[in-house]
Amino acid sequence: VQLVESGGGLVQAGGSLRLSCAASGRTFSSYCMGWFRQAPGKEREFVAAINWSGGSTYYADSVKGRFTISRDNAQNTVYLQMNSLEPEDTAVYYCATASRPRTVVCNYDYWGQGTQVTVSS
């Protein structure tokens, strides 16, 4: 399983970015997907997740109302639309997925290499 993130960059506070995570190596539509982030000197934290069918989404309180996770199973890609970005959102963003299909709880076993998001004030 390979996960490749893209779409990071430098943006001013209040701006937007859309991250993409392209998956390969198995049937994408059967697996939950998640986004995490890690800021310098901090632990990795959960940002958002979407279940295998796309019918359920979950968000950290810190991004609720500003970020939207979605998936395109035809493109084997999961997205993270980030609006109203704040300097506190600066981090390396990782996508992740489970090793078991169609699970209710997503246990993240595979990780991408990350993409840097920097929000300037």
Side-chain angles (χ1 to χ4, degrees), residues 81-97:
Q81 177 66 44
M82 305 186 295
N83 299 329
S84 301
L85 283 161
E86 304 167 352
E88 293 73 23
D89 296 317
T90 295
V92 177
Y93 283 70
Y94 300 89
C95 73
T97 188

Side-chain angles (χ1 to χ4, degrees), residues 39-83:
K42 295 187 176 181
E43 293 186 353
R44 186 175 298 184
E45 65 175 0
F46 169 78
V47 175
I50 187 165
N51 75 333
W52 62 274
S53 70
S56 297
T57 56
Y58 310 89
Y59 297 93
D61 287 343
S62 59
V63 307
K64 205 170 292 184
R66 299 188 299 122
F67 291 10
T68 303
I69 188 171
S70 62
R71 64 190 299 157
D72 184 340
N73 288 340
Q75 298 294 324
N76 291 348
T77 301
V78 63
Y79 302 98
L80 186 68
Q81 177 66 44
M82 305 186 295
N83 299 329

